[in-house]
Amino acid sequence: MINDQWIKTREKDKKSSQSQTLISRQALFVLCCQRFVFLLRKTIISQKYFWFIVSIFKEHNPSKSRKLVRELARVQRDFIGVVHRIKFWWLQRRYDNQWPAQLLLTDGTQPPSSKIAVLAMYQPGGLRASTLETCDHLADCGYTVVAVSNTPLNEADRNTLAHQVYKICERPNYGYDAGAYRDGVWLLRREGLKPDSLILINDSILFPLQKKTDAISRLEAKNDTLGGLVRKTRYKADLKVGGETTGFIEAYFYHANLRDPDIRSLWETFWDQLRLTSGRAYLKEGRVSEFFDHANQPLNTLSSRNSFLQSVEEMNNSELLKTLQYGAYCVPELSETNKQLLASEPDTNWRRTALDHIRETVSRYPFYGSFIYGSESLMQLGFLKRTNSPLFRETRKSYLRAVDAGDLPRPSDTILSELRELIVLHKDT
């Protein structure tokens, strides 16, 4: 009896000790967070004094003052990053513990297949007609669509979309497109679906520009691991290797060939380990590409800056002239060079200057934004960015000029209508 009572007392003391330890750890965590916030505030407040010192120092040694400013920005960025990583860890833990209770799932009418596309959407103003055309094109290519919306859909849009997809998932806009992609991948696993071919696409692009675009079939034929429409690299890094560095696949379109069990395992591991963010400043577009590259898996894309430049060099002067004629610019010096080239007679020196100009432009800006005619005639990617940036506003105008002149194929009426709406909305005049 005494021994039993002693054992119960010991167990009670042990539980109490564990509870106190847990409470003390939680208190320590909260204290650390409070300390970080306090130091962060002090850092921000002290900046005004720092800039005063820099202004005095700048008069005596401008180069060192610039370095000082860069170092301060780096230290502050790293410091704030630590605070946000703690915040993101807590937010993701809460989100994952609730999953999938926070999702609103609607069954569509389309059956699943061995090819599936996860379409990430954010359309608070209502479902766009071009999104339905994207679903139609994916279905024509043999893909069943899972639509993941980062904003609630109204009843009419939900019913319309359900007729063209296998499933609709409405979720909080946590993690942005990466979060939508991940929830789509997780849903497929939850449904017991193991597609051989998987596309991740978001609605930041108008795709396809023409219904007969063969970009997907070309990508399927080329890609045996992870692929996409465009590979982005750093220009200076390319120069150092005298060719093309690995870079990363731009995140608005991925294609994963999952027939190989090792590739499928690698793919699922990435999405299980992915750390989501709640701030666009901390998004890292190249994470999935880096993950595959570190696993020594090749990245296969239909285009890159290097491949575009190689193709441009093979153009005749007539095609080169059209590439410049429909060039899009957001800085005056490049636009002025373009005007001078268009006003000159094409000869050997002109060609050399034109190629140098194109090379300089795409070293600073995306080739498919700066030279839409060259991009579509050479690469045939079949998409336009919807981004409201100075460059892509000019790109949309250049594209419409080329279509009106008959130099590029006419897109669908839906795409044309949305392009003109974007021009009015963003005042692309």
Side-chain angles (χ1 to χ4, degrees), residues 37 51-52 66 94 136 184 214 386 406-407:
V37 172
W51 290 116
F52 175 72
R66 287 193 295 271
R94 183 179 65 175
D136 285 340
D214 64 347
R386 293 181 56 90
D407 289 326

Side-chain angles (χ1 to χ4, degrees), residues 68 89 128 180 189 218 297 350 404 415 427:
L68 194 61
W89 170 83
R128 292 192 288 263
R189 185 166 58 189
R218 286 186 287 128
Q297 297 296 334
W350 177 90
D404 291 340
I415 297 292
K427 297 181 174 58

Side-chain angles (χ1 to χ4, degrees), residues 321 324-325 329 332-347 349-351 353-354 357:
L321 189 62
L324 295 174
Q325 181 181 348
Y329 304 93
E333 60 268 24
L334 293 176
S335 179
E336 186 60 33
T337 303
N338 175 272
K339 291 177 182 177
Q340 293 174 4
L341 286 166
L342 292 176
S344 304
E345 286 294 325
D347 55 19
N349 291 332
W350 177 90
R351 180 179 180 84
T353 306
H357 166 70

